[in-house]
Amino acid sequence: MKNKANKITLFYIIFSITLAFVSYQFLSKIDSLPQTRFLYYNITFIILSALLFKYILSKNDSRNSKIFEKLKANNEEIKAYNERYDIVAKATSDTIWDWKIQEDDFIWNKGIQGVFGYKKEDIGKTSKWWFDRIHPEDSIKMSIKLYSFIEQKTEKWQDEYRFKCADGTYKYVFDRGFLVKDEEGNAIRMIGAMQDVTRQKEEEQRLKLLETVITQTKDAVIITESEKANRAIPKIVFVNPAFTEMTGYEATEVIGKTPTIFMGKRSVKNDIDNLSKALRGKEEFKFETLNHKKNNEEYWVNFSMIPITNQEGDHSHWISIQRDITEDKKQEKEKEQLIRELTQNNKDLKQFSYITSHNLRAPLSNLTGLLNLMEEIPIENPELKEIINGFSTSTHLLNETINDLVKVIIIKDNPSIQKEEVLIKDVFENVFNQLTFLISLHKPILKIELEKVTILHINKAYLESILLNLFTNAVKYRSPKRTLRIFVSSKEVGANIVLVFKDNGIGIDLERNKDKIFGLYQRFHNYPDSKGLGLYLVKSQVESMGGTITVESEVDKGTAFTITFKK
């Protein structure tokens, strides 16, 4: 700056002196007397004015230098502020906006692109673009609070609302703004910072749900701190309302204390070592224990403890969930007692059945013998003869009933019956040999489809009894309208062997009798010799050999039994 002033001064002196000499030469030609004194005066004036001019220029240059330095410093400060602004905006992920209220001119920083995904050309420059992207459910509430702040009815403005992203989804934002006023105090500008709080909001909602679960659950929830080195059992920091309901202790009575306050003496003695060991290992564990309520009433709980870690992975707390199982324990005891009583009753019934069948056999044998002797004696009185015949029939039926009951007792009393490898074809041959008379008498149409090699590991006598019962039932309950047809098959299906026995008899109404079909002494037809015991025996024998039996039947069309055994 100083060199510049010197140059200007030097140029001024040279130019002025040159002009003075030119003027002097010009005047010398006009006036015969040269004006030398005038030339000296001019040169002196030029030098003095040049010095004054230089002084003024130096002062001006000095002032300009100070202004320049100040502007330079201000520019550096503005640049630093801008750099800090950009760094803060990036660090906080804030979206900064600047709204010139009177001109309705809106400016966004790069956050509107990075956070919400908008392209530069899609971003509007008015407040309308901003308001149009606020969720409809939040728009009215937010607008009322904002304009109340602009009109300076409230001291500050901050709000949470949902802001629309470029992809159509919404993010929760926390927005806060600051007003810039003119000299008269009117709001002319507003600058705001919008922060994406979607993750915090979702976490907040999740925590509220968890809090609702904890406060509303019927199970007691206890949170304790992590154990300290000098203490085996950690202190309680939280209990839910269900805990108070379960134990009678208010939260203020147990917070800061250990769970041993409500653990029974037996619990402490039996479980404290296991509890301490699990706490040291920081492992989840469960056990059942007997606790005490505030009124000293005992109650059983299913007790579980889960270790909780913080973000750094350090163990911070324990969560204990306790379920009152006192009623379950009572029911368990009642069930055990009921099982003992039923077992004893079953033994007594079996004993009674054995005694009854044994004690009745001797008199029945005597009666049968006497009736056989009476058959050799001629009886002329027709009424007496009819009475004796009826008595003989009743005795015979009683004997059959006792024999059937003995069969049932034997099956039920021997769940692990002797089994052997049996060829199904051989069993069918034995059954048909025993039914030769019935087959020749009623001449049914038989269709037998047995696979060549079908071996079962079962009780042979039981299988013969099953087939005999099904075959005699098919003959007994044949339809008088058509010739009896019986279909029997055996085949391997996967790991099972399936036997099918099907007839075209009078059938059974399954809608009415489905649950009673295999019941004891259940009769579905009014036949005089029907005792209702055959199907019960069949099912008992099948199940005693580990098999299953199902039935399909339709009135006046027939019945099909499917028996399944594992190979």
Side-chain angles (χ1 to χ4, degrees), residues 219-408:
D219 293 339
V221 178
I222 304 170
I223 301 177
T224 67
E225 61 185 12
S226 60
E227 69 282 357
K228 306 300 181 184
N230 59 347
R231 186 170 63 251
I233 307 298
K235 289 183 178 180
I236 298 169
V237 297
F238 170 84
V239 294
N240 70 336
F243 171 83
T244 301
E245 183 72 21
M246 182 183 295
T247 66
Y249 286 100
E250 297 292 336
T252 53
E253 296 178 279
V254 295
I255 289 176
K257 299 179 182 179
T258 66
T260 54
I261 188 175
F262 50 81
M263 294 177 70
K265 292 181 179 179
R266 280 191 288 170
S267 301
V268 173
K269 184 178 179 181
N270 297 332
D271 300 323
I272 197 71
D273 291 337
N274 293 332
L275 180 61
S276 300
K277 184 178 178 181
L279 288 171
R280 288 192 298 271
K282 297 179 177 60
E283 298 174 348
E284 179 181 353
F285 64 101
K286 298 179 181 180
F287 61 92
E288 291 181 0
T289 186
L290 188 65
N291 284 351
H292 280 170
K293 295 185 179 182
K294 187 178 179 180
N295 60 4
N296 285 327
E297 180 184 346
E298 290 185 336
Y299 68 101
W300 281 94
V301 291
N302 187 312
F303 190 96
S304 65
M305 288 195 74
I306 305 167
I308 302 299
T309 56
N310 56 24
Q311 292 181 346
E312 288 74 27
D314 299 325
H315 178 231
S316 61
H317 294 85
W318 287 95
I319 290 184
S320 172
I321 301 174
Q322 300 184 16
R323 176 167 294 180
D324 189 342
I325 56 171
T326 307
E327 193 62 32
D328 295 341
K329 284 287 185 181
K330 288 181 181 178
Q331 292 179 0
E332 188 177 328
K333 286 184 179 180
E334 291 174 359
K335 191 185 296 182
E336 289 175 357
Q337 179 64 25
L338 183 60
I339 290 172
R340 285 195 294 269
E341 292 176 358
L342 288 173
T343 302
Q344 186 59 44
N345 290 340
N346 194 33
K347 288 180 180 178
D348 294 342
L349 285 172
K350 284 182 181 179
Q351 189 65 23
F352 175 77
S353 300
Y354 284 129
I355 292 170
T356 302
S357 60
H358 180 269
N359 292 346
L360 287 176
R361 278 188 179 280
L364 275 173
S365 298
N366 292 334
L367 281 173
T368 303
L370 291 172
L371 289 170
N372 289 336
L373 290 174
M374 291 180 68
E375 287 179 358
E376 298 177 1
I377 301 172
I379 299 174
E380 295 180 359
N381 189 331
E383 292 182 0
L384 180 60
K385 189 174 183 178
E386 185 177 350
I387 291 171
I388 292 174
N389 288 336
F391 189 65
S392 178
T393 301
S394 298
T395 303
H396 177 71
L397 290 173
L398 180 60
N399 189 49
E400 284 189 349
T401 300
I402 291 174
N403 288 335
D404 290 337
L405 287 173
V406 169
K407 289 179 183 178
V408 172

Side-chain angles (χ1 to χ4, degrees), residues 79-142:
K79 184 178 180 182
Y81 278 133
N82 288 336
E83 288 178 353
R84 283 196 292 272
Y85 162 77
D86 289 337
I87 292 169
V88 170
K90 289 179 181 178
T92 59
S93 299
D94 283 359
T95 300
I96 311 299
W97 49 268
D98 188 349
W99 181 22
K100 293 179 181 177
I101 299 172
Q102 294 177 352
E103 297 88 353
D104 195 20
D105 184 25
F106 220 97
I107 299 173
W108 299 86
N109 79 331
K110 293 181 179 179
I112 195 69
Q113 303 174 44
V115 177
F116 301 99
Y118 286 103
K119 295 180 181 179
K120 190 174 181 180
E121 59 270 19
D122 295 333
I123 302 169
K125 295 183 179 181
T126 64
S127 59
K128 184 178 182 302
W129 188 87
W130 176 30
F131 287 120
D132 286 347
R133 275 146 191 82
I134 296 172
H135 196 283
E137 294 178 4
D138 304 332
S139 180
I140 296 176
K141 173 182 72 70
M142 179 267 191

Side-chain angles (χ1 to χ4, degrees), residues 19-284:
L19 184 62
F21 273 105
V22 171
S23 298
Y24 174 75
Q25 292 294 332
F26 179 75
L27 290 173
S28 296
K29 291 178 181 181
I30 298 173
D31 191 356
S32 58
L33 294 174
Q35 299 294 325
T36 305
R37 187 179 294 176
F38 175 77
L39 176 62
Y40 290 152
Y41 287 155
N42 284 341
I43 292 172
T44 303
F45 175 77
I46 289 170
I47 292 172
L48 291 174
S49 63
L51 292 174
L52 180 62
F53 187 56
K54 180 183 178 183
Y55 175 77
I56 294 170
L57 286 176
S58 297
K59 286 289 184 180
N60 189 55
D61 285 347
S62 178
R63 186 170 61 254
N64 289 342
S65 296
K66 290 179 180 178
I67 294 172
F68 176 77
E69 291 297 330
K70 189 174 182 180
L71 288 173
K72 185 178 179 182
N74 287 341
N75 286 336
E76 292 294 333
E77 189 175 355
I78 291 170
K79 184 178 180 182
Y81 278 133
N82 288 336
E83 288 178 353
R84 283 196 292 272
Y85 162 77
D86 289 337
I87 292 169
V88 170
K90 289 179 181 178
T92 59
S93 299
D94 283 359
T95 300
I96 311 299
W97 49 268
D98 188 349
W99 181 22
K100 293 179 181 177
I101 299 172
Q102 294 177 352
E103 297 88 353
D104 195 20
D105 184 25
F106 220 97
I107 299 173
W108 299 86
N109 79 331
K110 293 181 179 179
I112 195 69
Q113 303 174 44
V115 177
F116 301 99
Y118 286 103
K119 295 180 181 179
K120 190 174 181 180
E121 59 270 19
D122 295 333
I123 302 169
K125 295 183 179 181
T126 64
S127 59
K128 184 178 182 302
W129 188 87
W130 176 30
F131 287 120
D132 286 347
R133 275 146 191 82
I134 296 172
H135 196 283
E137 294 178 4
D138 304 332
S139 180
I140 296 176
K141 173 182 72 70
M142 179 267 191
S143 300
I144 291 172
K145 292 176 68 175
L146 177 64
Y147 282 106
S148 177
F149 175 65
I150 292 173
E151 293 173 5
Q152 303 178 43
K153 294 179 180 178
T154 55
E155 293 183 2
K156 64 178 181 178
W157 178 79
Q158 61 183 35
D159 200 2
E160 277 189 9
Y161 57 88
R162 285 163 287 181
F163 190 78
K164 192 175 185 180
C165 300
D167 60 4
T169 61
Y170 283 89
K171 286 187 176 182
Y172 281 95
V173 297
F174 176 68
D175 206 350
R176 55 226 181 270
F178 306 90
L179 277 180
V180 178
K181 304 174 186 177
D182 60 13
E183 295 178 353
E184 297 176 357
N186 298 318
I188 59 172
R189 189 177 177 189
M190 186 173 181
I191 299 172
M194 184 189 294
Q195 186 179 9
D196 179 8
V197 292
T198 304
R199 187 171 296 178
Q200 296 93 309
K201 199 72 176 178
E202 290 174 350
E203 184 65 18
E204 181 183 325
Q205 291 173 349
R206 190 179 72 88
L207 289 174
K208 283 184 179 179
L209 289 174
L210 290 176
E211 182 183 359
T212 303
V213 171
I214 291 172
T215 55
Q216 297 300 320
T217 182
K218 300 299 181 183
D219 293 339
V221 178
I222 304 170
I223 301 177
T224 67
E225 61 185 12
S226 60
E227 69 282 357
K228 306 300 181 184
N230 59 347
R231 186 170 63 251
I233 307 298
K235 289 183 178 180
I236 298 169
V237 297
F238 170 84
V239 294
N240 70 336
F243 171 83
T244 301
E245 183 72 21
M246 182 183 295
T247 66
Y249 286 100
E250 297 292 336
T252 53
E253 296 178 279
V254 295
I255 289 176
K257 299 179 182 179
T258 66
T260 54
I261 188 175
F262 50 81
M263 294 177 70
K265 292 181 179 179
R266 280 191 288 170
S267 301
V268 173
K269 184 178 179 181
N270 297 332
D271 300 323
I272 197 71
D273 291 337
N274 293 332
L275 180 61
S276 300
K277 184 178 178 181
L279 288 171
R280 288 192 298 271
K282 297 179 177 60
E283 298 174 348
E284 179 181 353

Side-chain angles (χ1 to χ4, degrees), residues 448-510:
I448 312 297
E449 294 181 359
L450 304 178
E451 291 191 353
K452 291 183 179 180
V453 181
T454 307
I455 298 175
L456 283 173
H457 190 70
I458 58 172
N459 184 282
K460 185 178 181 180
Y462 276 10
L463 183 58
E464 288 183 359
S465 174
I466 291 167
L467 294 174
L468 281 169
N469 261 309
L470 294 179
F471 198 99
T472 53
N473 277 352
V475 173
K476 185 186 299 183
Y477 302 112
R478 65 190 181 277
S479 173
K481 302 177 184 178
R482 51 187 172 269
T483 303
L484 175 62
R485 294 177 180 271
I486 298 176
F487 170 77
V488 183
S489 71
S490 71
K491 60 181 179 179
E492 294 186 15
V493 180
N496 300 321
I497 292 179
V498 179
L499 306 179
V500 177
F501 192 99
K502 189 175 182 180
D503 65 56
N504 65 340
I506 59 177
I508 303 170
D509 187 352
L510 288 184

